[in-house]
Amino acid sequence: GEGMSPRMKSGFQILFASIIALVLYFGPPQWDYVGVPGFSDFFRIGPLIIPVTIFLMVAMSNAVNLTDGVDSLAGSTCTVAFACYGTIAYLQQQVYLAAFCFTLVGALMAFLWYNAYPAQLFMGDAGSLALGATLALVAVMTGQWLLLPVIGLVNVAEALSSTLQVSYFKLTRKLYGEGRRLFKMAPLHHHFELSGWSEMQIKERFWLVSVLAGMM
């Protein structure tokens, strides 16, 4: 009655990401390329794309999951990110992928209508984990996965804040016998919540940052 343990959840994430990475690499067409900003041509990286895909899917699924702590925050940032990758896919003439991305944008906007503060509907792990993994998958299929930390800036910042908080706490506990914190609370939106920002201020400001990152 307590749901999946973190270890079991991580195991399933790695398993599904591994299956998808192998299908992308071995199935036609072979998705083993990367676009580097400043270069017009793609570069093929061969089997290296397999661990890259696994890492990106697991990392982004957890990043979006951590972002989903304030009403409409995860949905808003994912809407911007999928719109960006939909535009990239269209410019690269991957029309099927562009259509998929903008279908998700439409679905997320419908969800946000009911997820706006105070939320009547929540996505939970089933939504946030799937959205993050799908965003990473789309990034790999466009070949523009190096842009993912920029396009998904807010999600990446949320994940990094949690990682830094835990790592710093463990390090200082080992060094000083008492754990110390970098942030008032992690992930990042809770830090600002404890700093006096309202839930709506956090959502609007984080969303504005995600829009600017997407435009960049």
Side-chain angles (χ1 to χ4, degrees):
E2 296 177 358
M4 287 187 184
S5 67
R7 184 173 295 179
M8 184 185 294
K9 188 187 294 184
S10 297
F12 276 118
Q13 285 178 299
I14 294 169
L15 174 64
F16 291 134
S18 299
I19 292 170
I20 292 168
L22 291 170
V23 169
L24 286 178
Y25 180 67
F26 289 106
Q30 193 175 45
W31 306 94
D32 65 341
Y33 53 86
V34 57
V36 179
F39 294 87
S40 57
D41 295 325
F42 287 98
F43 298 90
R44 291 200 172 273
I45 60 172
L48 186 60
I49 195 65
I50 296 173
V52 167
T53 302
I54 295 169
F55 170 76
L56 289 175
M57 290 188 69
V58 173
M60 280 308 295
S61 64
N62 286 302
V64 174
N65 183 242
L66 288 168
T67 307
D68 187 31
V70 173
D71 289 350
S72 75
L73 180 58
S76 296
T77 55
C78 284
T79 299
V80 173
F82 279 111
C84 288
Y85 272 111
T87 304
I88 289 170
Y90 179 77
L91 292 172
Q92 294 183 173
Q93 299 182 338
Q94 294 172 296
V95 180
Y96 58 94
L97 201 54
F100 173 74
C101 287
F102 284 110
T103 299
L104 274 176
V105 170
L108 281 166
M109 292 175 99
F111 166 75
L112 285 169
W113 185 269
Y114 297 99
N115 188 238
Y117 180 84
Q120 301 168 270
L121 191 65
F122 303 91
M123 67 170 71
D125 282 8
S128 58
L129 291 172
L131 282 173
T134 304
L135 180 60
L137 178 59
V138 166
V140 170
M141 291 180 73
T142 59
Q144 302 292 354
W145 44 269
L146 289 179
L147 296 177
L148 189 56
V150 179
I151 291 174
L153 180 63
V154 170
N155 307 118
V156 172
E158 294 272 29
L160 278 177
S161 67
S162 290
T163 303
L164 289 171
Q165 182 87 321
V166 172
S167 301
Y168 187 73
F169 186 86
K170 289 181 177 179
L171 178 64
T172 52
R173 186 169 59 183
K174 183 180 290 186
L175 292 174
Y176 307 112
E178 180 185 12
R180 300 176 184 177
R181 292 174 172 80
L182 282 171
F183 305 99
K184 293 181 179 180
M185 191 175 178
L188 194 59
H189 59 264
H190 289 315
H191 170 80
F192 287 106
E193 205 166 15
L194 291 176
S195 299
W197 289 17
S198 70
E199 197 165 328
M200 281 301 297
Q201 284 177 318
I202 293 168
K203 180 263 167 180
E204 289 298 325
R205 289 168 180 173
F206 277 40
W207 175 75
L208 286 171
V209 171
S210 72
V211 170
L212 289 172
M215 290 169 64
M216 189 189 305

